[in-house]
Amino acid sequence: MAEPPRRKPRADARRNKDRLLAEADAVFGQDGTGASLESVARRAGVAIGTLYGHFPSRRALIGSLLSERNEALFDHGQELLADSAPAQALIRWVHAVVEHAAAYQGLAAVLAEGLDDRESELHASCVRVTDISDRLIVNAREAGALRRDVTGADIFALMNAAAWTREHMPPEQADRLVALTMDGMLIQAPNRGGSRVGTAEQGRGQNP
């Protein structure tokens, strides 16, 4: 027996959801991902039960907030996979992921947990980030631009550390951490004058 067609959300329900997302973005932007959900509901002018009706958990709320940003990040990753300069593509991806993971204070830790928790609403997007990262790492290594002893775990440790730095310090400090660390991971090629040029230094400031 065919299931009856699902009813479209009522206009007031859609408005409530949109208000909740807008207020959650403001609250998390100010107080981090651990901020009170009651304050989000209060600012949106709804009961806490209404919030949980739309978002059963804090992770579900965060996942909805990141939905559009995730798609933009994935699109950027696909463009970088086709880049003819694998080292620069990897650097730009690391910067993009760091900026994405530092959108709210505490978000980097939440995303790290989501990668390991298959039940998390954030798991699927974290897996996609991992997949793109792994492919960019392979591209850089096959191009002879990445040291053979550098692992995916090393790159992820860098991204997590830089995201944490970006949450607590000026963005320039996180960018410096990425540049210095990537300089040590990448194989540098001599320029025409005989000196050696760091590819991570060249890639700085090319974030999407």
Side-chain angles (χ1 to χ4, degrees), residues 71-120:
E71 291 306 316
L73 181 66
F74 301 151
D75 289 345
H76 182 57
Q78 293 301 319
E79 293 172 0
L80 292 175
L81 284 168
D83 198 303
S84 60
Q88 294 301 311
L90 179 58
I91 293 166
R92 292 176 66 187
W93 175 248
V94 170
H95 279 290
V97 172
V98 168
E99 183 175 352
H100 177 78
Y104 309 115
Q105 187 170 353
L107 179 59
V110 174
L111 293 176
E113 293 170 359
L115 179 60
D116 297 328
D117 184 359
R118 293 180 178 273
E119 301 301 318
S120 171

mmCIF file of all heavy atoms in Angstrom, residues 71-120:
data_model
loop_
_atom_site.group_PDB
_atom_site.id
_atom_site.type_symbol
_atom_site.label_atom_id
_atom_site.label_comp_id
_atom_site.label_asym_id
_atom_site.label_seq_id
_atom_site.Cartn_x
_atom_site.Cartn_y
_atom_site.Cartn_z
ATOM 1 N N GLU A 71 27.962 22.472 1.524
ATOM 2 C CA GLU A 71 27.879 22.295 0.071
ATOM 3 C C GLU A 71 28.869 23.206 -0.643
ATOM 4 O O GLU A 71 29.485 22.801 -1.636
ATOM 5 C CB GLU A 71 26.451 22.575 -0.412
ATOM 6 C CG GLU A 71 25.439 21.537 0.043
ATOM 7 C CD GLU A 71 25.841 20.116 -0.331
ATOM 8 O OE1 GLU A 71 26.286 19.915 -1.487
ATOM 9 O OE2 GLU A 71 25.725 19.213 0.524
ATOM 10 N N ALA A 72 29.027 24.435 -0.155
ATOM 11 C CA ALA A 72 30.001 25.349 -0.754
ATOM 12 C C ALA A 72 31.420 24.798 -0.585
ATOM 13 O O ALA A 72 32.253 24.879 -1.508
ATOM 14 C CB ALA A 72 29.886 26.729 -0.115
ATOM 15 N N LEU A 73 31.702 24.221 0.580
ATOM 16 C CA LEU A 73 33.030 23.639 0.836
ATOM 17 C C LEU A 73 33.268 22.443 -0.077
ATOM 18 O O LEU A 73 34.356 22.299 -0.656
ATOM 19 C CB LEU A 73 33.140 23.221 2.299
ATOM 20 C CG LEU A 73 34.483 22.618 2.729
ATOM 21 C CD1 LEU A 73 35.589 23.669 2.651
ATOM 22 C CD2 LEU A 73 34.383 22.052 4.148
ATOM 23 N N PHE A 74 32.257 21.583 -0.233
ATOM 24 C CA PHE A 74 32.417 20.408 -1.091
ATOM 25 C C PHE A 74 32.630 20.821 -2.547
ATOM 26 O O PHE A 74 33.452 20.224 -3.255
ATOM 27 C CB PHE A 74 31.191 19.501 -0.986
ATOM 28 C CG PHE A 74 30.907 19.012 0.410
ATOM 29 C CD1 PHE A 74 29.606 18.723 0.806
ATOM 30 C CD2 PHE A 74 31.927 18.844 1.326
ATOM 31 C CE1 PHE A 74 29.338 18.281 2.087
ATOM 32 C CE2 PHE A 74 31.673 18.400 2.617
ATOM 33 C CZ PHE A 74 30.371 18.115 3.003
ATOM 34 N N ASP A 75 31.897 21.821 -3.003
ATOM 35 C CA ASP A 75 32.070 22.308 -4.377
ATOM 36 C C ASP A 75 33.492 22.830 -4.577
ATOM 37 O O ASP A 75 34.122 22.592 -5.622
ATOM 38 C CB ASP A 75 31.057 23.411 -4.691
ATOM 39 C CG ASP A 75 29.634 22.886 -4.831
ATOM 40 O OD1 ASP A 75 29.460 21.655 -4.977
ATOM 41 O OD2 ASP A 75 28.700 23.710 -4.783
ATOM 42 N N HIS A 76 33.980 23.563 -3.582
ATOM 43 C CA HIS A 76 35.343 24.082 -3.651
ATOM 44 C C HIS A 76 36.344 22.927 -3.710
ATOM 45 O O HIS A 76 37.320 22.972 -4.486
ATOM 46 C CB HIS A 76 35.610 24.961 -2.437
ATOM 47 C CG HIS A 76 36.966 25.587 -2.414
ATOM 48 N ND1 HIS A 76 37.453 26.388 -3.428
ATOM 49 C CD2 HIS A 76 37.965 25.515 -1.487
ATOM 50 C CE1 HIS A 76 38.671 26.799 -3.131
ATOM 51 N NE2 HIS A 76 39.010 26.284 -1.972
ATOM 52 N N GLY A 77 36.095 21.890 -2.919
ATOM 53 C CA GLY A 77 36.974 20.733 -2.926
ATOM 54 C C GLY A 77 37.021 20.051 -4.279
ATOM 55 O O GLY A 77 38.094 19.646 -4.754
ATOM 56 N N GLN A 78 35.872 19.925 -4.928
ATOM 57 C CA GLN A 78 35.827 19.308 -6.248
ATOM 58 C C GLN A 78 36.614 20.130 -7.266
ATOM 59 O O GLN A 78 37.292 19.576 -8.141
ATOM 60 C CB GLN A 78 34.378 19.143 -6.711
ATOM 61 C CG GLN A 78 33.571 18.140 -5.897
ATOM 62 C CD GLN A 78 34.186 16.742 -5.915
ATOM 63 O OE1 GLN A 78 34.664 16.271 -6.948
ATOM 64 N NE2 GLN A 78 34.151 16.075 -4.782
ATOM 65 N N GLU A 79 36.539 21.440 -7.151
ATOM 66 C CA GLU A 79 37.315 22.303 -8.046
ATOM 67 C C GLU A 79 38.811 22.105 -7.811
ATOM 68 O O GLU A 79 39.605 22.053 -8.764
ATOM 69 C CB GLU A 79 36.939 23.763 -7.819
ATOM 70 C CG GLU A 79 35.517 24.120 -8.233
ATOM 71 C CD GLU A 79 35.128 25.530 -7.820
ATOM 72 O OE1 GLU A 79 35.983 26.212 -7.205
ATOM 73 O OE2 GLU A 79 33.984 25.935 -8.108
ATOM 74 N N LEU A 80 39.200 21.985 -6.552
ATOM 75 C CA LEU A 80 40.614 21.810 -6.233
ATOM 76 C C LEU A 80 41.143 20.463 -6.701
ATOM 77 O O LEU A 80 42.323 20.340 -7.047
ATOM 78 C CB LEU A 80 40.830 21.965 -4.723
ATOM 79 C CG LEU A 80 40.610 23.372 -4.166
ATOM 80 C CD1 LEU A 80 40.743 23.366 -2.650
ATOM 81 C CD2 LEU A 80 41.585 24.366 -4.775
ATOM 82 N N LEU A 81 40.291 19.452 -6.713
ATOM 83 C CA LEU A 81 40.724 18.129 -7.175
ATOM 84 C C LEU A 81 41.119 18.156 -8.648
ATOM 85 O O LEU A 81 41.900 17.318 -9.104
ATOM 86 C CB LEU A 81 39.621 17.097 -6.944
ATOM 87 C CG LEU A 81 39.442 16.632 -5.498
ATOM 88 C CD1 LEU A 81 38.154 15.854 -5.328
ATOM 89 C CD2 LEU A 81 40.640 15.790 -5.061
ATOM 90 N N ALA A 82 40.566 19.105 -9.395
ATOM 91 C CA ALA A 82 40.897 19.233 -10.813
ATOM 92 C C ALA A 82 42.031 20.224 -11.041
ATOM 93 O O ALA A 82 42.416 20.473 -12.188
ATOM 94 C CB ALA A 82 39.654 19.677 -11.593
ATOM 95 N N ASP A 83 42.570 20.771 -9.966
ATOM 96 C CA ASP A 83 43.629 21.772 -10.084
ATOM 97 C C ASP A 83 44.902 21.130 -10.633
ATOM 98 O O ASP A 83 45.259 20.017 -10.264
ATOM 99 C CB ASP A 83 43.903 22.396 -8.709
ATOM 100 C CG ASP A 83 44.659 23.708 -8.795
ATOM 101 O OD1 ASP A 83 45.757 23.717 -9.379
ATOM 102 O OD2 ASP A 83 44.157 24.715 -8.267
ATOM 103 N N SER A 84 45.600 21.857 -11.489
ATOM 104 C CA SER A 84 46.827 21.331 -12.096
ATOM 105 C C SER A 84 48.041 21.490 -11.188
ATOM 106 O O SER A 84 49.136 21.051 -11.538
ATOM 107 C CB SER A 84 47.095 22.035 -13.434
ATOM 108 O OG SER A 84 47.238 23.436 -13.248
ATOM 109 N N ALA A 85 47.860 22.140 -10.045
ATOM 110 C CA ALA A 85 48.957 22.328 -9.083
ATOM 111 C C ALA A 85 48.545 21.669 -7.763
ATOM 112 O O ALA A 85 47.983 22.320 -6.879
ATOM 113 C CB ALA A 85 49.243 23.807 -8.882
ATOM 114 N N PRO A 86 48.798 20.362 -7.607
ATOM 115 C CA PRO A 86 48.303 19.614 -6.440
ATOM 116 C C PRO A 86 48.754 20.172 -5.097
ATOM 117 O O PRO A 86 47.995 20.130 -4.129
ATOM 118 C CB PRO A 86 48.849 18.211 -6.671
ATOM 119 C CG PRO A 86 49.029 18.110 -8.147
ATOM 120 C CD PRO A 86 49.460 19.477 -8.578
ATOM 121 N N ALA A 87 49.966 20.685 -5.020
ATOM 122 C CA ALA A 87 50.437 21.225 -3.740
ATOM 123 C C ALA A 87 49.613 22.437 -3.340
ATOM 124 O O ALA A 87 49.170 22.561 -2.189
ATOM 125 C CB ALA A 87 51.919 21.598 -3.835
ATOM 126 N N GLN A 88 49.402 23.357 -4.292
ATOM 127 C CA GLN A 88 48.605 24.537 -4.000
ATOM 128 C C GLN A 88 47.164 24.165 -3.681
ATOM 129 O O GLN A 88 46.523 24.782 -2.825
ATOM 130 C CB GLN A 88 48.651 25.495 -5.192
ATOM 131 C CG GLN A 88 50.024 26.095 -5.453
ATOM 132 C CD GLN A 88 50.548 26.880 -4.261
ATOM 133 O OE1 GLN A 88 49.840 27.711 -3.711
ATOM 134 N NE2 GLN A 88 51.764 26.601 -3.856
ATOM 135 N N ALA A 89 46.642 23.156 -4.385
ATOM 136 C CA ALA A 89 45.270 22.717 -4.129
ATOM 137 C C ALA A 89 45.135 22.208 -2.701
ATOM 138 O O ALA A 89 44.152 22.511 -2.006
ATOM 139 C CB ALA A 89 44.876 21.630 -5.127
ATOM 140 N N LEU A 90 46.101 21.429 -2.246
ATOM 141 C CA LEU A 90 46.056 20.913 -0.880
ATOM 142 C C LEU A 90 46.140 22.043 0.136
ATOM 143 O O LEU A 90 45.393 22.052 1.132
ATOM 144 C CB LEU A 90 47.196 19.916 -0.668
ATOM 145 C CG LEU A 90 47.299 19.300 0.729
ATOM 146 C CD1 LEU A 90 46.010 18.564 1.103
ATOM 147 C CD2 LEU A 90 48.499 18.355 0.812
ATOM 148 N N ILE A 91 47.018 22.993 -0.095
ATOM 149 C CA ILE A 91 47.155 24.125 0.825
ATOM 150 C C ILE A 91 45.846 24.912 0.915
ATOM 151 O O ILE A 91 45.381 25.252 2.010
ATOM 152 C CB ILE A 91 48.298 25.052 0.369
ATOM 153 C CG1 ILE A 91 49.641 24.344 0.491
ATOM 154 C CG2 ILE A 91 48.309 26.338 1.200
ATOM 155 C CD1 ILE A 91 50.766 25.045 -0.231
ATOM 156 N N ARG A 92 45.264 25.199 -0.228
ATOM 157 C CA ARG A 92 44.022 25.972 -0.244
ATOM 158 C C ARG A 92 42.901 25.204 0.447
ATOM 159 O O ARG A 92 42.061 25.796 1.131
ATOM 160 C CB ARG A 92 43.651 26.316 -1.679
ATOM 161 C CG ARG A 92 44.611 27.294 -2.343
ATOM 162 C CD ARG A 92 44.269 27.543 -3.799
ATOM 163 N NE ARG A 92 42.991 28.217 -3.925
ATOM 164 C CZ ARG A 92 42.377 28.435 -5.088
ATOM 165 N NH1 ARG A 92 42.923 27.997 -6.204
ATOM 166 N NH2 ARG A 92 41.234 29.071 -5.126
ATOM 167 N N TRP A 93 42.879 23.894 0.288
ATOM 168 C CA TRP A 93 41.861 23.074 0.958
ATOM 169 C C TRP A 93 42.045 23.115 2.476
ATOM 170 O O TRP A 93 41.077 23.252 3.224
ATOM 171 C CB TRP A 93 41.939 21.643 0.456
ATOM 172 C CG TRP A 93 41.017 20.695 1.158
ATOM 173 C CD1 TRP A 93 41.358 19.670 1.987
ATOM 174 C CD2 TRP A 93 39.576 20.666 1.069
ATOM 175 N NE1 TRP A 93 40.243 19.015 2.423
ATOM 176 C CE2 TRP A 93 39.141 19.601 1.881
ATOM 177 C CE3 TRP A 93 38.639 21.444 0.389
ATOM 178 C CZ2 TRP A 93 37.786 19.292 2.042
ATOM 179 C CZ3 TRP A 93 37.289 21.142 0.538
ATOM 180 C CH2 TRP A 93 36.880 20.079 1.351
ATOM 181 N N VAL A 94 43.269 22.989 2.933
ATOM 182 C CA VAL A 94 43.533 23.043 4.376
ATOM 183 C C VAL A 94 43.048 24.371 4.944
ATOM 184 O O VAL A 94 42.362 24.409 5.979
ATOM 185 C CB VAL A 94 45.034 22.832 4.673
ATOM 186 C CG1 VAL A 94 45.338 23.134 6.144
ATOM 187 C CG2 VAL A 94 45.452 21.400 4.336
ATOM 188 N N HIS A 95 43.357 25.467 4.279
ATOM 189 C CA HIS A 95 42.900 26.779 4.750
ATOM 190 C C HIS A 95 41.370 26.844 4.762
ATOM 191 O O HIS A 95 40.767 27.381 5.699
ATOM 192 C CB HIS A 95 43.449 27.888 3.849
ATOM 193 C CG HIS A 95 44.851 28.292 4.160
ATOM 194 N ND1 HIS A 95 45.204 28.970 5.304
ATOM 195 C CD2 HIS A 95 46.014 28.112 3.471
ATOM 196 C CE1 HIS A 95 46.500 29.212 5.309
ATOM 197 N NE2 HIS A 95 47.020 28.695 4.210
ATOM 198 N N ALA A 96 40.729 26.303 3.719
ATOM 199 C CA ALA A 96 39.270 26.359 3.629
ATOM 200 C C ALA A 96 38.616 25.547 4.739
ATOM 201 O O ALA A 96 37.631 25.984 5.344
ATOM 202 C CB ALA A 96 38.811 25.848 2.264
ATOM 203 N N VAL A 97 39.149 24.362 5.015
ATOM 204 C CA VAL A 97 38.585 23.518 6.067
ATOM 205 C C VAL A 97 38.785 24.165 7.434
ATOM 206 O O VAL A 97 37.888 24.139 8.287
ATOM 207 C CB VAL A 97 39.208 22.113 6.028
ATOM 208 C CG1 VAL A 97 38.764 21.291 7.243
ATOM 209 C CG2 VAL A 97 38.817 21.386 4.752
ATOM 210 N N VAL A 98 39.944 24.750 7.651
ATOM 211 C CA VAL A 98 40.217 25.426 8.924
ATOM 212 C C VAL A 98 39.221 26.561 9.142
ATOM 213 O O VAL A 98 38.633 26.691 10.225
ATOM 214 C CB VAL A 98 41.664 25.968 8.949
ATOM 215 C CG1 VAL A 98 41.865 26.913 10.135
ATOM 216 C CG2 VAL A 98 42.651 24.811 9.019
ATOM 217 N N GLU A 99 39.013 27.361 8.113
ATOM 218 C CA GLU A 99 38.060 28.471 8.241
ATOM 219 C C GLU A 99 36.646 27.939 8.496
ATOM 220 O O GLU A 99 35.906 28.486 9.316
ATOM 221 C CB GLU A 99 38.086 29.315 6.965
ATOM 222 C CG GLU A 99 37.181 30.535 7.024
ATOM 223 C CD GLU A 99 37.313 31.426 5.809
ATOM 224 O OE1 GLU A 99 38.222 31.181 4.983
ATOM 225 O OE2 GLU A 99 36.526 32.383 5.685
ATOM 226 N N HIS A 100 36.281 26.878 7.806
ATOM 227 C CA HIS A 100 34.960 26.271 7.972
ATOM 228 C C HIS A 100 34.776 25.747 9.402
ATOM 229 O O HIS A 100 33.738 25.972 10.025
ATOM 230 C CB HIS A 100 34.821 25.120 6.972
ATOM 231 C CG HIS A 100 33.545 24.361 7.070
ATOM 232 N ND1 HIS A 100 32.347 24.826 6.551
ATOM 233 C CD2 HIS A 100 33.256 23.150 7.631
ATOM 234 C CE1 HIS A 100 31.388 23.942 6.783
ATOM 235 N NE2 HIS A 100 31.911 22.926 7.431
ATOM 236 N N ALA A 101 35.786 25.058 9.913
ATOM 237 C CA ALA A 101 35.684 24.431 11.230
ATOM 238 C C ALA A 101 35.747 25.436 12.370
ATOM 239 O O ALA A 101 35.416 25.095 13.514
ATOM 240 C CB ALA A 101 36.795 23.398 11.403
ATOM 241 N N ALA A 102 36.148 26.656 12.066
ATOM 242 C CA ALA A 102 36.254 27.689 13.103
ATOM 243 C C ALA A 102 35.119 28.701 13.013
ATOM 244 O O ALA A 102 35.204 29.783 13.590
ATOM 245 C CB ALA A 102 37.600 28.393 13.000
ATOM 246 N N ALA A 103 34.046 28.346 12.309
ATOM 247 C CA ALA A 103 32.917 29.274 12.160
ATOM 248 C C ALA A 103 32.341 29.664 13.513
ATOM 249 O O ALA A 103 31.902 30.798 13.709
ATOM 250 C CB ALA A 103 31.838 28.652 11.293
ATOM 251 N N TYR A 104 32.309 28.712 14.450
ATOM 252 C CA TYR A 104 31.858 28.965 15.818
ATOM 253 C C TYR A 104 32.900 28.399 16.775
ATOM 254 O O TYR A 104 33.517 27.370 16.491
ATOM 255 C CB TYR A 104 30.517 28.290 16.103
ATOM 256 C CG TYR A 104 29.428 28.553 15.107
ATOM 257 C CD1 TYR A 104 28.911 27.524 14.323
ATOM 258 C CD2 TYR A 104 28.897 29.836 14.935
ATOM 259 C CE1 TYR A 104 27.905 27.749 13.400
ATOM 260 C CE2 TYR A 104 27.894 30.073 14.017
ATOM 261 C CZ TYR A 104 27.395 29.031 13.249
ATOM 262 O OH TYR A 104 26.408 29.266 12.337
ATOM 263 N N GLN A 105 33.066 29.038 17.908
ATOM 264 C CA GLN A 105 33.972 28.491 18.912
ATOM 265 C C GLN A 105 33.450 27.131 19.367
ATOM 266 O O GLN A 105 32.276 26.975 19.674
ATOM 267 C CB GLN A 105 34.090 29.441 20.104
ATOM 268 C CG GLN A 105 35.156 29.005 21.097
ATOM 269 C CD GLN A 105 35.428 30.078 22.147
ATOM 270 O OE1 GLN A 105 34.913 31.185 22.063
ATOM 271 N NE2 GLN A 105 36.234 29.754 23.130
ATOM 272 N N GLY A 106 34.328 26.154 19.383
ATOM 273 C CA GLY A 106 33.945 24.804 19.794
ATOM 274 C C GLY A 106 33.511 23.915 18.643
ATOM 275 O O GLY A 106 33.335 22.701 18.837
ATOM 276 N N LEU A 107 33.348 24.481 17.455
ATOM 277 C CA LEU A 107 32.852 23.687 16.330
ATOM 278 C C LEU A 107 33.858 22.624 15.905
ATOM 279 O O LEU A 107 33.467 21.504 15.550
ATOM 280 C CB LEU A 107 32.520 24.597 15.151
ATOM 281 C CG LEU A 107 32.004 23.897 13.883
ATOM 282 C CD1 LEU A 107 30.737 23.098 14.180
ATOM 283 C CD2 LEU A 107 31.748 24.916 12.775
ATOM 284 N N ALA A 108 35.136 22.938 15.915
ATOM 285 C CA ALA A 108 36.138 21.969 15.489
ATOM 286 C C ALA A 108 36.047 20.681 16.294
ATOM 287 O O ALA A 108 36.129 19.580 15.742
ATOM 288 C CB ALA A 108 37.536 22.576 15.603
ATOM 289 N N ALA A 109 35.850 20.805 17.612
ATOM 290 C CA ALA A 109 35.734 19.619 18.459
ATOM 291 C C ALA A 109 34.463 18.841 18.144
ATOM 292 O O ALA A 109 34.458 17.604 18.125
ATOM 293 C CB ALA A 109 35.751 20.034 19.933
ATOM 294 N N VAL A 110 33.368 19.553 17.881
ATOM 295 C CA VAL A 110 32.106 18.899 17.542
ATOM 296 C C VAL A 110 32.243 18.123 16.240
ATOM 297 O O VAL A 110 31.763 16.990 16.112
ATOM 298 C CB VAL A 110 30.966 19.936 17.428
ATOM 299 C CG1 VAL A 110 29.679 19.272 16.929
ATOM 300 C CG2 VAL A 110 30.714 20.596 18.777
ATOM 301 N N LEU A 111 32.914 18.705 15.257
ATOM 302 C CA LEU A 111 33.106 18.035 13.975
ATOM 303 C C LEU A 111 34.008 16.816 14.123
ATOM 304 O O LEU A 111 33.779 15.783 13.473
ATOM 305 C CB LEU A 111 33.697 19.011 12.955
ATOM 306 C CG LEU A 111 32.788 20.170 12.540
ATOM 307 C CD1 LEU A 111 33.534 21.124 11.609
ATOM 308 C CD2 LEU A 111 31.520 19.655 11.878
ATOM 309 N N ALA A 112 35.033 16.917 14.949
ATOM 310 C CA ALA A 112 35.921 15.775 15.180
ATOM 311 C C ALA A 112 35.146 14.613 15.788
ATOM 312 O O ALA A 112 35.344 13.448 15.416
ATOM 313 C CB ALA A 112 37.078 16.185 16.089
ATOM 314 N N GLU A 113 34.234 14.919 16.707
ATOM 315 C CA GLU A 113 33.398 13.875 17.297
ATOM 316 C C GLU A 113 32.451 13.286 16.253
ATOM 317 O O GLU A 113 32.193 12.077 16.240
ATOM 318 C CB GLU A 113 32.589 14.451 18.463
ATOM 319 C CG GLU A 113 33.436 14.874 19.647
ATOM 320 C CD GLU A 113 32.631 15.651 20.677
ATOM 321 O OE1 GLU A 113 31.416 15.857 20.436
ATOM 322 O OE2 GLU A 113 33.199 16.045 21.704
ATOM 323 N N GLY A 114 31.950 14.127 15.359
ATOM 324 C CA GLY A 114 31.023 13.672 14.339
ATOM 325 C C GLY A 114 31.651 12.684 13.379
ATOM 326 O O GLY A 114 30.972 11.783 12.872
ATOM 327 N N LEU A 115 32.929 12.827 13.110
ATOM 328 C CA LEU A 115 33.607 11.912 12.201
ATOM 329 C C LEU A 115 33.641 10.501 12.776
ATOM 330 O O LEU A 115 33.520 9.516 12.037
ATOM 331 C CB LEU A 115 35.033 12.409 11.934
ATOM 332 C CG LEU A 115 35.886 11.541 11.014
ATOM 333 C CD1 LEU A 115 35.243 11.420 9.630
ATOM 334 C CD2 LEU A 115 37.296 12.112 10.897
ATOM 335 N N ASP A 116 33.798 10.383 14.083
ATOM 336 C CA ASP A 116 33.917 9.075 14.721
ATOM 337 C C ASP A 116 32.574 8.473 15.112
ATOM 338 O O ASP A 116 32.503 7.287 15.451
ATOM 339 C CB ASP A 116 34.797 9.188 15.975
ATOM 340 C CG ASP A 116 36.222 9.604 15.642
ATOM 341 O OD1 ASP A 116 36.697 9.231 14.545
ATOM 342 O OD2 ASP A 116 36.847 10.302 16.449
ATOM 343 N N ASP A 117 31.508 9.258 15.083
ATOM 344 C CA ASP A 117 30.189 8.800 15.541
ATOM 345 C C ASP A 117 29.252 8.635 14.346
ATOM 346 O O ASP A 117 28.749 9.603 13.794
ATOM 347 C CB ASP A 117 29.613 9.814 16.523
ATOM 348 C CG ASP A 117 28.288 9.368 17.117
ATOM 349 O OD1 ASP A 117 27.796 8.279 16.747
ATOM 350 O OD2 ASP A 117 27.729 10.114 17.951
ATOM 351 N N ARG A 118 29.018 7.390 13.951
ATOM 352 C CA ARG A 118 28.169 7.122 12.790
ATOM 353 C C ARG A 118 26.725 7.560 13.005
ATOM 354 O O ARG A 118 25.977 7.720 12.041
ATOM 355 C CB ARG A 118 28.215 5.637 12.436
ATOM 356 C CG ARG A 118 29.569 5.173 11.925
ATOM 357 C CD ARG A 118 29.559 3.695 11.581
ATOM 358 N NE ARG A 118 30.833 3.273 11.059
ATOM 359 C CZ ARG A 118 31.184 3.347 9.766
ATOM 360 N NH1 ARG A 118 30.329 3.859 8.889
ATOM 361 N NH2 ARG A 118 32.377 2.934 9.362
ATOM 362 N N GLU A 119 26.315 7.712 14.246
ATOM 363 C CA GLU A 119 24.948 8.123 14.548
ATOM 364 C C GLU A 119 24.782 9.637 14.519
ATOM 365 O O GLU A 119 23.662 10.145 14.582
ATOM 366 C CB GLU A 119 24.530 7.595 15.929
ATOM 367 C CG GLU A 119 24.597 6.073 16.061
ATOM 368 C CD GLU A 119 23.704 5.383 15.044
ATOM 369 O OE1 GLU A 119 22.563 5.848 14.828
ATOM 370 O OE2 GLU A 119 24.148 4.385 14.454
ATOM 371 N N SER A 120 25.879 10.344 14.429
ATOM 372 C CA SER A 120 25.820 11.810 14.462
ATOM 373 C C SER A 120 25.250 12.360 13.162
ATOM 374 O O SER A 120 25.538 11.860 12.068
ATOM 375 C CB SER A 120 27.226 12.379 14.686
ATOM 376 O OG SER A 120 27.232 13.784 14.525
#
